[in-house]
Amino acid sequence: MALILPDTPLVTTSAEVVRVHRLLKQLPDENYTVWHRLTIYPEPGPDFWVLRSDRCALWIKVSNLTPAGAKTFAQPSLFDSSLSRPMEAEHRALTQFVRASFSATDAESLQRIPALVAFPNLAQSDLARLSEVAEIPSGVIWLGKEHLTPTALARWLEEHLTVSLAEDEIVRLRQVFTPEVVIPAQFTVRASSDRMTREPIPRYTTAESTPYLLDYDQERVLKTELDLPDEARAMVSDFNLRLVNGVAGSGKSLILVYRAQLLRRLFPKKSILGLTHNRPLIRDLEARYQTLNPGDRPVKWQTFYQWCRPLWLNKDKPWREPLGQYQRKKIIAEIWHAHLVDTTISEGMLSDELDWCKDRLIFSRQDYLTADRTGRGFALSELQRDKMYSAFEAYQAQLNRRGLVDWGDVPRQIWRWIQAGKLRLPQYDVILVDEAQFFAPLWFELIKRAVKLGTGHLFLVADPTQGFLKRRQSWLASGLEVRGRSHRLKKSYRTTREILDFATLLYRTRVPNDDDDIEAPDLREMPGGVFPQIIPLTSEQDEITRVVNEIEQLVQQGVPKSHLLIIPVDWHVRDRLLERLRLKFGETAVVDPKNAASEDAIRVCTLNSVTGLESPIVFLVGAHQLFEQEQSIRLSDDERLELIRDNTRKLYMALTRAGQRVVITYAGPLPEALSKLLGMTISR
């Protein structure tokens, strides 16, 4: 079957257009790509654009004229030629579309594309009679139902499509026929073709003129199952679920924003919610959507916990920020000393197990003792499980005594209120989830109950190689059956071959036996660039100073501040960088995207909060902390392997945020893995 975009027409599409849609879908898939024009544009135009693999093209306008309607044109007593002629509106839609959409030169050039009016209800003999009273423009062909079969149409196309278009003409056609796939230049962080340089500092002086477009795979994902019916589908007791997996930089977040835009235009009255796990990314998604849709009715963009906040019902314990990591760590240490000090279970294992329990529907000791812990990274005997749950209960009792909750308690309490009938979740026609690999099973249980039953859509995008927060959980374990409902994107449009090769090699060097190996990207046509640079330094203070100096030099050379993203490993380094950079450039010239958004500012964002963001130039600061954590004598062998795996995924994620250049600063002697990997490329 041919690739047709979208794959399924909307339910509001006329029966005749649906019939032609089904017909075009049956063309040979190796030869044809077909676009069906969506009904979101007020100006008339063709219903379909057909493109053969040899770059020959065809416009198609579908007529809904019936035999009874055709007779009115054939009977002089019923037809007033001064008012209209057969197919006048269809002819006008075809000709005016080209004239209105292209420059005079392009329009003349594109007259080479034949235009077809398809008549699914009329025979060729009916068309012959109609043509006697019609004015058929040059280049327009009428085709009756005898030719509208898979075999007959394929043969007709082979005979009549003879003029091949240039590649730039096809790009221009996509811009005009499907403007919903055009990507603004500011949404890209990779250098354009005339910037593909191996110079260490790109100059950023070339005007952006070449359009960026979603590729065919991205467009297919964007337009999959767009319908949002008003009534529940017959025999449906669930909702429509779609999962998009993809390599870093494959445009997953972009597709999410474009899908929100498309659904808002198609269904302006439907409720649409966009969710992710961190504030920097939600600000970025919201900013992109507003850039695409200034003045339109907005889509609600929230982190999962922002969405949870107005659902909080407890008036005796009103919402306040859950306890921070420092206070939590202190309480966990107290509980560990009281309950687990005589076991092989470490404080880190207790902390990790607490999170794991709270992320799932585990509400009793029996739930925990029978839960499947496959892939947890460390095994527990039955006795250890029992002691672990006692520690869990003691930890929770300690929080209750102090009037505290941790982040994991928020969705658990909301779940309890729902089960008790005290709370009904708001209902949405569409929920779009970015970075879905970070969402816990309990989060998904709540989200599923917020999607309208029978009519709603849940659309997820994810990169499993970055799932170091809610790790090693299958989609099925999260309560989502994605078999037959998933797509995979393998092309990276963000970064360069050198950066991606380096990140991939680092990953496989440090974690050679990872069962969940990273998805291999498609490197064809990937641009070259500058190899990642490591700057070894003697102290953390020198590291901060060097980064500030490097940033200052780049800004002096004309690099926009918005093209610079600094990723410190922890919040201590983040705060020091923010202070030093603001002294150098001013308060508003440097932001933490978690708290503020700016179109012209240097961004400083911690490693755990930067997922989903991107930038032409990335600085990774404090990498030595990750390697030092892994050498702690307090770690068991299983914990050490798990930490190396998680840290490696964090490094891979951070490196692939960059579109053109990566700089890694490292305080102290370089570890063997980095020394071997970079060798002669190390800069001092």
Side-chain angles (χ1 to χ4, degrees):
M1 293 180 10
L3 172 61
I4 187 164
L5 305 164
D7 184 70
T8 306
L10 301 178
V11 293
T12 54
T13 307
S14 71
E16 288 79 11
V17 171
V18 170
R19 285 160 62 186
V20 174
H21 187 286
R22 291 172 181 164
L23 171 66
L24 294 171
K25 198 172 182 178
Q26 297 178 67
L27 292 171
D29 60 350
E30 69 276 8
N31 287 337
Y32 290 96
T33 303
V34 181
W35 286 267
H36 171 37
R37 192 162 183 257
L38 297 173
T39 57
I40 56 177
Y41 305 106
E43 65 277 3
D47 294 305
F48 298 95
W49 169 37
V50 180
L51 182 65
R52 202 165 59 195
S53 57
D54 58 3
R55 302 203 299 268
C56 292
L58 172 74
W59 304 117
I60 299 180
K61 185 67 180 176
V62 179
S63 169
N64 60 2
L65 191 63
T66 63
K71 287 181 180 179
T72 64
F73 290 107
Q75 298 177 28
S77 61
L78 298 177
F79 170 59
D80 185 349
S81 60
S82 66
L83 297 177
S84 64
R85 291 187 177 276
M87 300 306 101
E88 187 172 328
E90 286 80 356
H91 294 159
R92 190 185 311 115
L94 289 167
T95 56
Q96 289 187 357
F97 174 78
V98 173
R99 291 172 188 162
S101 303
F102 301 95
S103 67
T105 303
D106 286 340
E108 182 178 349
S109 171
L110 294 171
Q111 291 294 338
R112 296 175 296 150
I113 303 176
L116 172 69
V117 179
F119 295 83
N121 301 321
L122 299 180
Q124 207 66 36
S125 57
D126 297 323
L127 301 185
R129 289 190 291 271
L130 275 179
S131 64
E132 295 176 2
V133 292
E135 292 183 0
I136 304 178
S138 174
V140 175
I141 305 164
W142 287 7
L143 215 58
K145 61 183 180 182
E146 298 98 324
H147 295 284
L148 300 180
T149 67
T151 302
L153 181 61
R155 185 168 56 247
W156 187 92
L157 291 172
E158 288 298 321
E159 293 173 356
H160 289 79
L161 299 191
T162 57
V163 179
S164 182
L165 301 174
E167 284 292 347
D168 62 329
E169 289 178 316
I170 293 173
V171 170
R172 181 64 182 134
L173 283 168
R174 285 192 72 200
Q175 282 182 278
V176 171
F177 194 74
T178 58
E180 65 272 8
V181 304
V182 177
I183 304 170
Q186 66 263 37
F187 282 14
T188 66
V189 297
R190 180 192 282 181
S192 59
S193 58
D194 50 4
R195 291 186 189 158
M196 295 305 179
T197 174
R198 294 180 182 272
E199 294 297 320
I201 306 294
R203 296 298 298 170
Y204 298 97
T205 56
T206 306
E208 295 285 357
S209 57
T210 304
Y212 296 91
L213 305 172
L214 298 180
D215 70 21
Y216 293 174
D217 287 338
Q218 292 171 324
E219 187 177 357
R220 184 207 299 254
V221 171
L222 170 67
K223 295 180 177 178
T224 296
E225 295 183 348
L226 290 172
D227 250 324
L228 296 176
D230 291 320
E231 297 181 0
R233 297 178 292 271
M235 306 300 292
V236 170
S237 59
D238 206 341
F239 49 82
N240 190 303
L241 170 66
R242 283 287 157 183
L243 168 68
V244 181
N245 283 319
V247 299
S250 58
K252 301 180 297 296
S253 296
L254 191 66
I255 289 171
L256 192 89
V257 172
Y258 271 61
R259 189 169 177 91
Q261 171 190 237
L262 200 52
L263 290 172
R264 170 59 73 232
R265 291 183 180 180
L266 287 168
F267 308 102
K269 296 182 180 180
K270 299 290 186 179
S271 55
I272 303 175
L273 171 68
L275 291 176
T276 192
H277 70 297
N278 69 39
R279 282 186 282 173
L281 180 54
I282 213 67
R283 289 182 183 276
D284 184 67
L285 295 173
E286 188 172 26
R288 291 190 182 202
Y289 183 84
Q290 289 175 347
T291 298
L292 291 172
N293 306 277
D296 281 5
R297 180 188 173 197
V299 166
K300 183 181 287 187
W301 298 96
Q302 293 181 312
T303 67
F304 175 77
Y305 283 110
Q306 285 174 334
W307 178 69
C308 287
R309 183 168 183 165
L311 303 174
W312 195 259
L313 295 179
N314 196 334
K315 293 183 175 59
D316 297 326
K317 190 186 292 184
W319 173 276
R320 65 175 179 172
E321 200 78 353
L323 77 163
Q325 286 299 312
Y326 176 79
Q327 188 178 10
R328 183 176 188 268
K329 189 175 181 179
K330 187 176 179 181
I331 296 174
I332 286 175
E334 295 173 5
I335 299 301
W336 181 82
H337 278 285
H339 293 269
L340 300 172
V341 69
D342 59 343
T343 71
T344 58
I345 299 171
S346 67
E347 290 180 32
M349 292 164 70
L350 171 59
S351 177
D352 197 46
E353 197 76 355
L354 286 173
D355 288 336
W356 185 81
C357 287
K358 292 193 175 189
D359 284 342
R360 285 156 177 79
L361 296 176
I362 294 175
F363 290 93
S364 69
R365 186 180 298 269
Q366 185 61 27
D367 288 342
Y368 177 64
L369 294 178
T370 57
D372 183 3
R373 295 183 70 260
T374 302
R376 286 290 295 121
F378 57 91
L380 293 175
S381 67
E382 186 174 347
L383 179 60
Q384 286 175 317
R385 276 210 197 195
D386 194 65
K387 287 191 172 186
M388 183 73 88
Y389 196 78
S390 294
F392 178 94
E393 290 180 318
Y395 169 77
Q396 205 60 37
Q398 183 79 279
L399 294 188
N400 292 338
R401 279 194 297 272
R402 299 186 186 186
L404 300 171
V405 296
D406 68 12
W407 288 103
D409 290 325
V410 175
R412 288 171 71 82
Q413 184 58 67
I414 290 172
W415 176 263
R416 291 189 185 99
W417 286 329
I418 293 171
Q419 297 304 303
K422 297 179 179 179
L423 175 65
R424 186 177 185 276
L425 294 178
Q427 298 293 290
Y428 300 91
D429 296 289
V430 180
I431 297 182
L432 308 159
V433 179
D434 199 5
E435 302 289 350
Q437 72 273 9
F438 293 122
F439 278 51
L442 180 54
W443 298 15
F444 281 123
E445 289 299 328
L446 294 175
I447 290 168
K448 288 191 298 183
R449 283 160 176 76
V451 182
K452 289 184 179 179
L453 195 64
T455 63
H457 284 212
L458 177 58
F459 188 85
L460 315 174
V461 300
D463 181 355
T465 63
Q466 295 179 27
F468 46 80
L469 296 181
K470 308 295 181 186
R471 59 189 178 278
R472 292 195 177 183
Q473 62 185 46
S474 68
W475 296 110
L476 189 59
S478 296
L480 301 168
E481 176 54 79
V482 299
R483 286 180 299 180
R485 301 179 179 184
S486 62
H487 306 267
R488 188 170 296 278
L489 300 173
K490 292 191 174 184
K491 286 188 177 181
S492 176
Y493 291 96
R494 177 190 298 143
T495 192
T496 64
R497 181 186 294 270
E498 284 77 8
I499 293 173
L500 198 55
D501 278 348
F502 174 77
T504 303
L505 186 57
L506 176 64
Y507 189 103
R508 289 177 174 158
T509 299
R510 282 173 48 84
V511 195
N513 300 315
D514 190 1
D515 293 335
D516 303 321
D517 201 2
I518 57 175
E519 177 71 33
D522 184 348
L523 298 177
R524 291 174 297 177
E525 302 178 7
M526 218 173 164
V530 182
F531 201 78
Q533 176 188 17
I534 280 195
I535 303 176
L537 297 151
T538 56
S539 69
E540 291 186 356
Q541 185 59 41
D542 288 347
E543 185 177 33
I544 299 293
T545 300
R546 179 63 180 266
V547 170
V548 172
N549 291 339
E550 291 281 337
I551 297 296
E552 183 179 25
Q553 186 179 38
L554 288 171
V555 172
Q556 289 174 350
Q557 292 174 336
V559 176
K561 295 183 184 72
S562 59
H563 287 195
L564 300 169
L565 173 63
I566 306 174
I567 307 176
V569 165
D570 68 13
W571 64 271
H572 297 286
V573 180
R574 177 202 62 195
D575 289 350
R576 291 167 64 194
L577 279 166
L578 285 170
E579 181 181 5
R580 290 283 301 276
L581 288 167
R582 283 170 176 166
L583 283 173
K584 178 73 69 173
F585 298 102
E587 280 293 320
T588 60
V590 185
V591 300
D592 180 349
K594 183 176 182 179
N595 302 318
S598 175
E599 295 182 358
D600 185 26
I602 300 164
R603 291 172 292 164
V604 182
C605 189
T606 60
L607 185 59
N608 279 346
S609 298
V610 80
T611 52
L613 300 186
E614 59 185 17
S615 182
I617 300 176
V618 165
F619 282 78
L620 176 60
V621 185
H624 62 280
Q625 295 184 33
L626 300 179
F627 288 85
E628 289 170 1
Q629 290 169 6
E630 298 163 6
Q631 305 308 313
S632 173
I633 60 174
R634 302 180 66 182
L635 295 173
S636 68
D637 290 343
D638 285 343
E639 286 180 292
R640 195 181 317 280
L641 290 174
E642 189 75 2
L643 184 58
I644 290 172
R645 176 182 180 275
D646 284 356
N647 285 347
T648 302
R649 291 194 167 202
K650 290 180 181 181
L651 289 168
Y652 181 88
M653 179 275 297
L655 294 169
T656 55
R657 300 305 92 200
Q660 301 170 37
R661 183 181 175 193
V662 170
V663 179
I664 306 168
T665 58
Y666 197 97
L670 285 176
E672 185 179 1
L674 289 180
S675 296
K676 284 184 177 180
L677 197 57
L678 287 174
M680 77 292 294
T681 66
I682 297 173
S683 301
R684 295 188 180 274

